[in-house]
mmCIF file with all atom_site columns, all heavy atoms in Angstrom:
data_model
loop_
_atom_site.group_PDB
_atom_site.id
_atom_site.type_symbol
_atom_site.label_atom_id
_atom_site.label_alt_id
_atom_site.label_comp_id
_atom_site.label_asym_id
_atom_site.label_entity_id
_atom_site.label_seq_id
_atom_site.pdbx_PDB_ins_code
_atom_site.Cartn_x
_atom_site.Cartn_y
_atom_site.Cartn_z
_atom_site.occupancy
_atom_site.B_iso_or_equiv
_atom_site.pdbx_formal_charge
_atom_site.auth_seq_id
_atom_site.auth_comp_id
_atom_site.auth_asym_id
_atom_site.auth_atom_id
_atom_site.pdbx_PDB_model_num
ATOM 1  N N   . LEU B 1 5  ? 113.357 115.021 103.596 1.00 98.00 ? 5  LEU B N   1
ATOM 2  C CA  . LEU B 1 5  ? 113.616 114.926 102.161 1.00 98.00 ? 5  LEU B CA  1
ATOM 3  C C   . LEU B 1 5  ? 112.486 114.106 101.545 1.00 98.00 ? 5  LEU B C   1
ATOM 4  O O   . LEU B 1 5  ? 112.299 112.936 101.873 1.00 98.00 ? 5  LEU B O   1
ATOM 5  C CB  . LEU B 1 5  ? 114.970 114.255 101.891 1.00 98.00 ? 5  LEU B CB  1
ATOM 6  C CG  . LEU B 1 5  ? 115.510 114.378 100.460 1.00 98.00 ? 5  LEU B CG  1
ATOM 7  C CD1 . LEU B 1 5  ? 117.014 114.185 100.436 1.00 98.00 ? 5  LEU B CD1 1
ATOM 8  C CD2 . LEU B 1 5  ? 114.860 113.375 99.510  1.00 98.00 ? 5  LEU B CD2 1
ATOM 9  N N   . ASN B 1 6  ? 111.731 114.734 100.645 1.00 98.00 ? 6  ASN B N   1
ATOM 10 C CA  . ASN B 1 6  ? 110.567 114.098 100.025 1.00 98.00 ? 6  ASN B CA  1
ATOM 11 C C   . ASN B 1 6  ? 110.878 113.849 98.550  1.00 98.00 ? 6  ASN B C   1
ATOM 12 O O   . ASN B 1 6  ? 111.061 114.777 97.770  1.00 98.00 ? 6  ASN B O   1
ATOM 13 C CB  . ASN B 1 6  ? 109.343 115.019 100.162 1.00 98.00 ? 6  ASN B CB  1
ATOM 14 C CG  . ASN B 1 6  ? 108.049 114.333 99.780  1.00 98.00 ? 6  ASN B CG  1
ATOM 15 O OD1 . ASN B 1 6  ? 108.016 113.490 98.893  1.00 98.00 ? 6  ASN B OD1 1
ATOM 16 N ND2 . ASN B 1 6  ? 106.968 114.714 100.449 1.00 98.00 ? 6  ASN B ND2 1
ATOM 17 N N   . ALA B 1 7  ? 110.929 112.559 98.177  1.00 98.00 ? 7  ALA B N   1
ATOM 18 C CA  . ALA B 1 7  ? 111.224 112.187 96.788  1.00 98.00 ? 7  ALA B CA  1
ATOM 19 C C   . ALA B 1 7  ? 110.037 111.495 96.126  1.00 98.00 ? 7  ALA B C   1
ATOM 20 O O   . ALA B 1 7  ? 110.200 110.769 95.149  1.00 98.00 ? 7  ALA B O   1
ATOM 21 C CB  . ALA B 1 7  ? 112.452 111.273 96.745  1.00 98.00 ? 7  ALA B CB  1
ATOM 22 N N   . LEU B 1 8  ? 108.849 111.725 96.639  1.00 97.00 ? 8  LEU B N   1
ATOM 23 C CA  . LEU B 1 8  ? 107.651 111.122 96.058  1.00 97.00 ? 8  LEU B CA  1
ATOM 24 C C   . LEU B 1 8  ? 107.228 111.891 94.811  1.00 97.00 ? 8  LEU B C   1
ATOM 25 O O   . LEU B 1 8  ? 107.597 113.051 94.618  1.00 97.00 ? 8  LEU B O   1
ATOM 26 C CB  . LEU B 1 8  ? 106.512 111.115 97.072  1.00 97.00 ? 8  LEU B CB  1
ATOM 27 C CG  . LEU B 1 8  ? 106.800 110.437 98.413  1.00 97.00 ? 8  LEU B CG  1
ATOM 28 C CD1 . LEU B 1 8  ? 105.573 110.536 99.313  1.00 97.00 ? 8  LEU B CD1 1
ATOM 29 C CD2 . LEU B 1 8  ? 107.210 108.991 98.218  1.00 97.00 ? 8  LEU B CD2 1
ATOM 30 N N   . LEU B 1 28 ? 112.744 119.350 101.829 1.00 98.00 ? 28 LEU B N   1
ATOM 31 C CA  . LEU B 1 28 ? 113.484 119.307 100.580 1.00 98.00 ? 28 LEU B CA  1
ATOM 32 C C   . LEU B 1 28 ? 112.732 118.390 99.624  1.00 98.00 ? 28 LEU B C   1
ATOM 33 O O   . LEU B 1 28 ? 112.309 117.297 100.009 1.00 98.00 ? 28 LEU B O   1
ATOM 34 C CB  . LEU B 1 28 ? 114.894 118.764 100.794 1.00 98.00 ? 28 LEU B CB  1
ATOM 35 C CG  . LEU B 1 28 ? 115.726 119.418 101.905 1.00 98.00 ? 28 LEU B CG  1
ATOM 36 C CD1 . LEU B 1 28 ? 117.016 118.632 102.116 1.00 98.00 ? 28 LEU B CD1 1
ATOM 37 C CD2 . LEU B 1 28 ? 116.034 120.859 101.538 1.00 98.00 ? 28 LEU B CD2 1
ATOM 38 N N   . MET B 1 30 ? 113.036 116.366 96.038  1.00 97.00 ? 30 MET B N   1
ATOM 39 C CA  . MET B 1 30 ? 113.963 115.907 95.009  1.00 97.00 ? 30 MET B CA  1
ATOM 40 C C   . MET B 1 30 ? 113.398 114.656 94.349  1.00 97.00 ? 30 MET B C   1
ATOM 41 O O   . MET B 1 30 ? 112.360 114.127 94.766  1.00 97.00 ? 30 MET B O   1
ATOM 42 C CB  . MET B 1 30 ? 115.337 115.572 95.613  1.00 97.00 ? 30 MET B CB  1
ATOM 43 C CG  . MET B 1 30 ? 116.051 116.730 96.270  1.00 97.00 ? 30 MET B CG  1
ATOM 44 S SD  . MET B 1 30 ? 117.701 116.253 96.866  1.00 97.00 ? 30 MET B SD  1
ATOM 45 C CE  . MET B 1 30 ? 118.545 115.940 95.298  1.00 97.00 ? 30 MET B CE  1
#
Side-chain angles (χ1 to χ4, degrees):
L5 193 158
N6 191 326
L8 304 179
L28 309 172
M30 298 183 67

